[in-house]
Amino acid sequence: GTLSGAGYVHSHASGIDMELYGQGHVLGTEGGRAQYGTAIHENYYKIFAAHNSVISNGASGSKGPWVGLGIETVTALAIEPKPTEEAASPNHSFATAEWFDKHNLVKEANHQRTLALIKLSESHGYYLDIFRAKSDTASQFHDYMYHNAGEKVEISSRGTLLPMSDDGQRYSASGEIVWERQDVYQYPGWHYFEEVKSSKASDKSIEAVFVANQLGDQPIYMRALIPAGLETEITQVMAPKSFCAPQPYDTLQIPTFILRHKGETWKNPFTVVYESYDDEPVVQSVERLMDNGIFK
């Protein structure tokens, strides 16, 4: 698994981006790039919605150097094991990064992300993704996005598929921004999402399972386990194809889910356990540990 991001110079305005690997493939993939100069390249692939990141206030943005894609630098706070140094544990590793959403069109926001890899055996393990976000405005909200190669994503709670309703207007506003090539972008770019369906807000546990049937002799799955205890609305969409996805998924729309929380997610962050498998999953349950209202 990787965390990435930068300021500018041949990078995208993505905030703290994440990619996840499993069964020999890049499954949780970012968008890559389309033909330079096209509307979708400028207003989707180069900016936030094409990435596994968090968008704050529906308005994360960029400004300044490198054709208007300047963002604050994504900074590593902690890494274990440190590069070239011996690991403290053969089974646990992590990285923590932070980023300041300085050019947010509504109100700047602070982001912090920890991605850990937990090895259970030579053939099984899981990722733990913890994403904190806060913005100093009473109307703040934050959207956590995850794209994964496959035909579909199935979202359930307590063993039952979540009821979803058509929600075609949810991300349409960014398409109304007047685009000026290499200068003004249609932040955050999510008006390109299709087949948008959303659930009602809930603080119950959620499970999202992505299925890829064309990567081998048997299906490959990526399972996302979201523990109870943070009220979110969850939306499933089909996003534009990812040029970085394994074949043939680099030519197909990519299933994606988005978690929205109204309010800050700093004291009680977005938290997801990801497990890739092609036989049977091994993670049995996930619990959110709290102490006096603070996530631990």
Side-chain angles (χ1 to χ4, degrees):
T2 66
L3 295 184
S4 62
Y8 53 96
V9 183
H10 285 91
S11 73
H12 292 173
S14 61
I16 309 174
D17 192 11
M18 176 183 75
E19 287 192 297
L20 297 183
Y21 300 79
Q23 317 310 313
H25 301 281
V26 184
L27 297 177
T29 173
E30 65 138 47
R33 67 170 180 86
Q35 181 179 347
Y36 284 120
T38 60
I40 194 170
H41 175 244
E42 292 260 307
N43 297 304
Y44 177 73
Y45 288 104
K46 287 169 68 170
I47 58 177
F48 298 88
H51 302 266
N52 296 325
S53 189
V54 163
I55 293 168
S56 291
N57 306 317
S60 294
S62 62
K63 187 178 180 180
W66 199 256
V67 297
L69 290 178
I71 62 172
E72 296 299 289
T73 302
V74 174
T75 304
L77 294 182
I79 300 173
E80 169 55 42
K82 291 183 174 63
T84 75
E85 295 189 11
E86 185 176 353
S89 164
N91 298 321
H92 304 81
S93 59
F94 76 93
T96 299
E98 67 177 0
W99 177 65
F100 182 44
D101 187 3
K102 180 179 180 179
H103 303 299
N104 191 287
L105 304 187
V106 173
K107 185 71 174 180
E108 62 269 15
N110 292 95
H111 290 187
Q112 185 187 98
R113 187 171 209 165
T114 295
L115 178 65
L117 174 57
I118 314 300
K119 180 180 176 182
L120 300 175
S121 70
E122 290 304 313
S123 56
H124 291 91
Y126 63 89
Y127 302 100
L128 172 62
D129 186 33
I130 301 167
F131 205 124
R132 291 180 158 90
K134 61 181 178 180
S135 182
D136 187 18
T137 173
S139 60
Q140 68 176 303
F141 65 96
H142 306 278
D143 287 87
Y144 172 107
M145 298 179 299
Y146 180 71
H147 312 65
N148 196 94
E151 282 80 17
K152 62 181 178 178
V153 58
E154 295 182 343
I155 300 174
S156 61
S157 180
R158 299 179 177 179
T160 302
L161 288 176
L162 270 184
M164 295 275 188
S165 301
D166 290 338
D167 198 5
Q169 297 302 309
R170 189 175 188 86
Y171 305 116
S172 62
S174 60
E176 299 173 4
I177 297 173
V178 178
W179 167 42
E180 296 179 22
R181 187 173 180 270
Q182 296 190 345
D183 187 20
V184 178
Y185 300 95
Q186 294 176 311
Y187 302 111
W190 52 19
H191 56 287
Y192 286 97
F193 292 161
E194 297 181 358
E195 300 178 37
V196 180
K197 297 180 180 181
S198 299
S199 73
K200 294 181 179 179
S202 172
D203 65 355
K204 295 181 172 59
S205 61
I206 297 171
E207 178 175 349
V209 178
F210 295 87
V211 184
N213 291 300
Q214 303 180 64
L215 295 177
D217 296 333
Q218 57 190 14
I220 288 177
Y221 303 91
M222 180 66 86
R223 181 180 182 224
L225 297 172
I226 303 156
L230 178 70
E231 185 173 84
T232 61
E233 302 160 1
I234 186 165
T235 301
Q236 65 180 59
V237 307
M238 295 303 289
K241 65 183 180 182
S242 165
F243 291 84
C244 299
Q247 295 179 345
Y249 297 106
D250 57 344
T251 64
L252 305 174
Q253 287 184 308
I254 187 165
T256 301
F257 74 75
I258 304 100
L259 300 173
R260 173 172 293 182
H261 177 72
K262 296 178 180 178
E264 55 89 12
T265 61
W266 199 265
K267 295 179 181 177
N268 189 11
F270 294 114
T271 304
V272 187
V273 164
Y274 292 95
E275 180 185 11
S276 165
Y277 60 95
D278 58 10
D279 43 17
E280 294 291 335
V282 296
V283 177
Q284 297 181 24
S285 63
V286 181
E287 181 181 355
R288 188 181 294 267
L289 300 180
M290 306 293 291
D291 182 17
N292 293 322
I294 305 296
F295 175 88
K296 297 298 181 180

